Amino acid sequence: MAEGILFDIQRLSVGNGPGIRTTAFLKGCQLRCAWCHNPESHAPEPDLKYMKNICHFCGHCARACESGALALRDGALAYDGAACTRCGACSRACPYGAMKISGYRIGAEALAALFLRDKEYYDASGGGITLSGGEPMAQPDFLGEVLELSGQMGLATCVDTSGYCPDGAFAAMLEKTDMVLFDVKHMDPARHLEYTGVDNAQIFQNLITLAGSGKPFCVRFPMIPGYNDDEENIARTCAMLRGLHVESVDVSVFHDYYLAKYAQMFRPEDAPDIRPYTEEEIDQRLELIARHGVKPNRV
Amino acid sequence: MKERINRLRKLYMESPTRAIFLERTLLLEEAKRKYEHLDRGSLYAAAMAYVLDNMEAEIREDEYIVSTMKQTLLTEEQEEWYAELCADNNFKAVLLMGFDPLRISKSIGEQDDIYYPEWFCSYGHNVGDYPRVLKLGFSGLAAEARERMKDPALGGTQKTFLENCIVVCDAMTRFGLRYSEKARELAEGAQTEEERRRFRTIEETCKVSPGLPAQTFRQAVQSVWFFHMVQAALVGCRDYSFGRIDEYLYPYYKADLEAGRITREEALEIIEEWYIHESEFIGYAFDVKGMKRIPNYDCIQYIVLGGTDVDGREVCNDISFLAMEAWMDLENIKTPQIIVRWFRGMNQDLLDCAVHMNAAGKSTPSFFNEELIIKALVQYGVAEQDARIFAYYGCNNVVIPGLEDNLRESWHNGPKYLELALHAGVDPVTQKRIGPKTMAPGDMQGIEDVLGAFREQLAHALYLDRQDHSRCDQIWHAMKPFSYESLFGTDCIAKASSLDAEGSRYRHCNIEFMGIATLADSLYALNQVVFVEKRFTLPEFLEILAQDWAGHEELAMHIRNHYPKYGNDDDAVDIFAKRVGDMLVEEVGKLKPLYNGRKAYASFYSMMWHRHMGVDVGATPDGRHAYEPFSENLSGTYGLEKNGPIGALNSAAKLPLDWTPSGAHNVKFLPATVKGPEGEARLKACINAYMEKGGHQIMMTVADAEELKRAKEDPEAYQNLMVRVFGFSDYFISLWPDQQDEIIARDTMVL
């Protein structure tokens, strides 16, 4: 049985497909989007997260650490990520819950069993389960098995993907899921490479496959100030969507609530420095999308 | 909302908090002196008639629905006199209700500044058979009593009871007619045509209400208002409920509509005025200026909507919708609280409307699972056709309207019983023995021994509870051979006996059991620390609790933050909640009915007593500090329900809720979950799914800015609030302060 690694499970999750859903966030992603709000989703291994505002600076974590990765110095906690083995001893030692290991391994069956607990809620709402990330396609065996097991239990399934994966893996996933949420980030290959670290050719190839597959799907556009919200990119994106007979797009508007998260991961300096939109700016851009013939749904 | 309604609302909002219903107090005192020589029942009836005949029939500006308590501010001199009067006369609810069988709580107070004469007042908390009295009118009821008097087999007490019924019915009829007369006089002197029309309407309405059978919707509402106003403000006590208004008022509305006597808008206006009058005597204004010193202070009045009738047909009509529309239209009112009887296949528009109110943050209606409640009542011995008409009065107490006497409830301090079980029956807080001598903690070999001792402590408390209620019932029986409430008892005239005697078909007492989550979490933690991990022996661990975790703060925090907690759908700890819940149901089931047939109903409920009674309980093994509140109703410990509403609901659904017809489950939703049509659909699905899973009640609140401010100040207590934006999620307490402020100020929707 395949085992995967998650960084979060949300029950009654909102914005990850229709109805009431349980969403599992799979850890690890090949993309490094310049605006990423989930730094803990990047690495395919566990990470340490530290909530400073409930820390009592008691030093139990540092004493419990066998690799010398943590030290209490001048009333602050210092962390050496290279030395840290992510063993979780600090988290277990912290009485206050201020230290958390983000990333835990779970078998496909155990995850499916957890999904099943809320079946009545999915059934009552037309909901189901969503596998998101990170990038769920980065753990294809685990993903496939969870989808199969969930399907056998009568749960409606959904995969939320960046679309960055080989054709074969994508097609295999499509066979097993009931629905797909698909991110479109930038139309220009060079810009896409610059902002996300990967080329977009494979992504669009998969989007075309998806559009022709007959599977229900939803395109999502993370709208980021100064990155992909210029008229040219919006026009091209909309034209491409119209070409695929996609009538509407979910627009996820940039926010900077991630600032605290990067700090929790001891890397505040990596937090993207992007100024959030004003409401007026958001409305202008949504209008622009509408003008280009695609209905924007703000999510 | 009509301008007239707005003015009425303003009038009530500006009423002074310190005002009392002085007229009632003075008249009752006069009446007592006048009729003191009579037997208890006749004194009550004569005094009530005296007050009704002498109260001013006041018709205020803008009113169409008349009769209210007149509010008067006392002079300093009067205040002294009033204080003495209360001290001399008041009945002691604690003595008469058997609140707390082990007498653990010292915090149960009495409202000593409210005039509650023992010879007159009741404990309130009832739902009368209003439909019956609407159909008969008080004159019809008196006629029934007169007819009944002809029975030669009647005993003396029975005859007196019927005579008293007639005295009060006739007085109620005269009471209405005095308003009619007053309106006639006012109409003659009216300055404008509009005013004259208003007085004429009142005159015509009160010619009928409440003496004659109601014919129109307006008369029906006016009659119901007379029934209720007199019950709550004059006879006096709190938490009477109107019962299933859509079922019994709809025929009047329908007939009016068909005859062209009323429009939908007019009916809405009537209901709105009714709600405002009702808000006037719940004891405080919209802006909670402090409780008023009136008999029904701080009370909650319910209306019950929807569900099926005695024949299994759905009750869902325009009154169901108007009752909710009026609530939304008036904004910010506190009463009536609406209860919707949920059932599989219920009218979806009704459910949508109720869900919409909740999503808008109104925290009403709450929902009761009809199928489960009926099942529970039948299991407790109520005939099915009677169980089908169930309703509720505050707070969340089940009743069969017209067939039951007033509330009996006792509050069972679950965490204290665990404390006693861990100290062989001695209260470690006071060092007094208040429970049976159960196994010494040093001899306990495992969690089963703890649970065994807990069962014995619980059983003992329930035994004492029975003694209390037996005693209380005998007092009530002797004290209330007649009561105004008995006029609304379906069988009282037929039986010629009051609700407190043979007039009630069913009698029950709610065993309100508190702290289920505190107990489950404590049992898990105790088992883990002492018997599994063997960090301490049981006596050592108990010593840590006795010292309130002094020197072991980190252990308390570790238990709080690392051990599974009830309210998260975690079977490892929920199993303890289920064990305790089953134990409660079993032990309650073993209790024999009292001499008058009163049965005990199990319930997981704390209302606000988890705070008041928490002060009597030392540190508990779940990491709770001494004297802190424990968990509320069916909810998990504050701040530790980290899996959201579904986790909370799934944990509760594991309890034997088909044996608890009363009680409540408050579930907190985050604004983002319920916003927009999709959010409302989610909320609705949560209700449906929980009920399908065997939930019995759900009341919803939506987190608001105030709560977030508290979370910002006290992050450790609010570790469960999540910020979620499109795949992003983080704890609210981890956000940076300026972002927290931003969310508090304008963006609660990301929560």
Side-chain angles (χ1 to χ4, degrees), chain B residues 84-151:
Chain B
E84 271 176 42
L85 204 59
C86 292
D88 293 346
N89 277 280
N90 280 11
F91 86 47
K92 302 286 174 202
V94 172
L95 293 177
L96 293 173
M97 303 316 302
F99 252 76
D100 168 15
L102 296 188
R103 313 282 184 266
I104 297 160
S105 180
K106 289 160 272 311
S107 56
I108 295 173
E110 294 284 347
Q111 270 61 39
D112 285 333
D113 56 353
I114 298 168
Y115 177 65
Y116 274 120
E118 189 173 275
W119 57 275
F120 192 67
C121 284
S122 80
Y123 188 56
H125 298 89
N126 206 336
V127 184
D129 189 348
Y130 284 3
R132 172 177 142 84
V133 188
L134 269 179
K135 276 187 211 122
L136 289 171
F138 278 108
S139 59
L141 210 58
E144 252 192 25
R146 288 196 175 94
E147 189 57 33
R148 186 78 186 82
M149 290 278 284
K150 293 179 184 161
D151 182 352

Side-chain angles (χ1 to χ4, degrees), chain B residues 506-549:
Chain B
Y506 303 103
R507 298 168 197 94
H508 79 270
C509 167
N510 288 329
I511 305 293
E512 318 281 24
F513 185 83
M514 282 177 270
I516 188 75
T518 301
L519 278 168
D521 297 350
S522 291
L523 287 163
Y524 180 92
L526 180 75
N527 187 39
Q528 201 64 22
V529 169
V530 175
F531 300 117
V532 177
E533 295 173 19
K534 297 191 195 309
R535 293 197 203 191
F536 303 98
T537 64
L538 184 53
E540 284 166 357
F541 189 49
L542 293 178
E543 186 51 30
I544 293 172
L545 297 183
Q547 301 304 321
D548 196 15
W549 306 99

Side-chain angles (χ1 to χ4, degrees), chain A residues 19-189:
Chain A
I20 291 177
R21 310 195 75 83
T22 299
T23 302
F25 293 89
L26 279 68
K27 199 167 178 331
C29 184
Q30 302 94 324
L31 277 64
R32 286 292 176 274
C33 302
W35 51 80
C36 184
H37 60 201
N38 277 337
E40 75 275 43
S41 73
H42 297 171
E45 295 89 30
D47 283 301
L48 187 64
K49 277 173 84 174
Y50 165 57
M51 287 165 44
K52 192 176 165 185
N53 54 350
I54 54 171
C55 176
H56 288 228
F57 303 98
C58 62
H60 282 310
C61 53
R63 285 190 291 280
C65 180
E66 288 181 8
S67 48
L70 288 166
L72 200 58
R73 266 185 236 117
D74 311 324
L77 193 68
Y79 174 62
D80 178 355
C84 175
T85 62
R86 277 78 166 169
C87 69
C90 56
S91 165
R92 289 188 293 278
C94 174
Y96 309 100
M99 277 296 175
K100 287 197 164 72
I101 292 287
S102 173
Y104 55 100
R105 296 183 199 283
I106 185 168
E109 269 180 33
L111 181 56
L114 201 144
F115 284 152
L116 189 63
R117 295 186 89 98
D118 296 351
K119 184 169 190 300
E120 291 87 347
Y121 297 86
Y122 316 145
D123 290 349
S125 65
I129 64 112
T130 298
L131 294 148
S132 179
E135 175 47 59
M137 295 307 296
Q139 300 179 48
D141 295 344
F142 174 67
L143 177 75
E145 211 171 312
V146 174
L147 287 172
E148 268 177 18
L149 288 167
S150 302
Q152 285 161 15
M153 291 169 172
L155 310 181
T157 56
C158 177
V159 174
D160 177 11
T161 175
S162 68
Y164 186 73
C165 65
D167 304 350
F170 192 79
M173 178 274 287
L174 272 186
E175 288 285 307
K176 291 174 186 157
T177 187
D178 296 317
M179 183 183 173
V180 176
L181 307 176
F182 196 101
D183 272 17
V184 169
K185 293 179 171 110
H186 208 292
M187 294 303 295
D188 183 78

Side-chain angles (χ1 to χ4, degrees), chain A residues 7 54 149 167 212 214 218 224 287:
Chain A
F7 69 92
I54 54 171
L149 288 167
D167 304 350
C218 185
I224 316 298
E287 271 169 38

